[in-house]
């Protein structure tokens, strides 16, 4: 039995549930747990434990972290894009601070946070930007503004009480279990709203398959405590292909 224990906050969601299953497959000896405010994967699975909790409660989080002995926490929970400012502030900002506090209090070693590419969207086309792109002065909406604040909370906690942190910024995620993107497109189709077009239909948008986003989370956690010399990292920005249709 491995001493590693992985806790996925938001583990009943689209990305979180895919990550839970990938953790079980990748680390069969480890303990894997899912924490969420809603349980969607009935009946309980023998391969992982479900903790019912609201991430804004320090007490509930600390109890779950202690119970499963979490060594690595993945924070994938968030309200949806388009949610109101109050909910986004409560879950993404106060909730993320609560997660950091719980991790430090309970001696968790690693925290991997799912941010969003929308945190740096400023209304202009963004081509081949990377993590050096600053947050815009005025964020897109409450969801993206609070995801940016959450990211800052997570990254500035790096090293606190020995906790190592990292944030990933996926763009649109698609794949089995998607509850937002494809259902939204299908709703438009079903409601016959397809004769409206915004823009000239040439805009590009990044999409990543859910398994690839999960893989990024696994690799980020694995590498977080490995010292990789900066010069060995490939930081080149690929050339922009202006002819992409
Ligand atoms: P999802 O809604 O399917 O999953 C989020 C989960 O968080 C849900 O199961 C929900 O019940 C849980 N949750 C929400 N509030 C909670 C609370 N207070 N306490 C405990 N659990 C709570 O969303 P998803 O599409 O899987 O997105 C996962 C993450 O990826 C989110 O952080 C989101 O911001 C980010 N993201 C998603 C996309 C996308 O295209 N889906 C793109 C970029 C970033």
């Amino acid at each position: 039995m491995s001493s590693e224990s992985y806790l996925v906050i938001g583990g009943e969601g689209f990305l979180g549930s895919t990550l839970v299953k990938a953790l079980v497959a990748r680390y069969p000896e480890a303990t894997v747990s899912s924490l969420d405010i809603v349980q969607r994967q009935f009946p309980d699975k023998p391969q992982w434990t479900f903790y019912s909790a609201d991430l804004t409660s320090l007490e509930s989080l600390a109890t779950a972290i202690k119970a499963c002995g979490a060594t690595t926490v993945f924070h994938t929970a968030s309200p949806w894009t388009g949610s109101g400012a109050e909910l986004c502030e409560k879950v993404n900002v106060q909730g993320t601070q609560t997660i950091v506090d719980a991790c430090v209090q309970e001696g968790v070693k690693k925290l991997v946070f799912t941010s969003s590419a929308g945190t740096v969207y400023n209304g202009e086309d963004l081509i081949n930007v990377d993590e050096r792109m600053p947050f815009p002065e005025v964020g897109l909406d409450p969801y993206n503004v609070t995801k940016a604040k959450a990211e800052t909370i997570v990254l500035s906690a790096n090293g606190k009480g020995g906790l190592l942190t990292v944030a990933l910024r996926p763009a649109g995620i698609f794949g089995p279990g998607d509850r937002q993107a494809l259902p939204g497109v299908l709703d438009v189709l079903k409601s016959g709203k397809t004769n409206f077009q915004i823009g000239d239909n040439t805009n590009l948008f990044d999409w990543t398959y859910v398994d690839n986003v999960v893989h990024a989370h696994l690799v980020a956690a694995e590498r977080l405590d490995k010292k990789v010399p900066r010069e060995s990292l490939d930081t080149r920005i690929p050339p922009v292909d202006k002819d992409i249709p």
Side-chain angles (χ1 to χ4, degrees), residues 2 21 27 47 76 84 108 121 143 147 155 195 207-208 217 223 234 237:
S2 153
K21 288 171 204 147
Y27 311 113
Q47 301 95 326
T76 71
V108 171
Y121 184 58
Y143 168 84
K147 289 293 285 190
L155 294 182
N195 52 345
W207 290 96
T208 311
H217 282 67
R223 292 293 172 91
D234 185 355
I237 298 175

Side-chain angles (χ1 to χ4, degrees), residues 9 31 38 42 69 86 95 109 115 127 184 219:
I9 299 177
T31 303
V38 179
F42 284 113
E86 202 179 320
K109 287 193 267 178
S115 183
I127 300 174
V219 172

Side-chain angles (χ1 to χ4, degrees), residues 103-126:
C103 286
V104 172
Q105 182 183 303
E106 298 306 323
V108 171
K109 287 193 267 178
K110 301 176 189 177
L111 172 61
V112 180
F113 172 59
T114 317
S115 183
S116 169
T119 54
V120 291
Y121 184 58
N122 57 10
E124 303 288 322
D125 287 343
L126 299 177

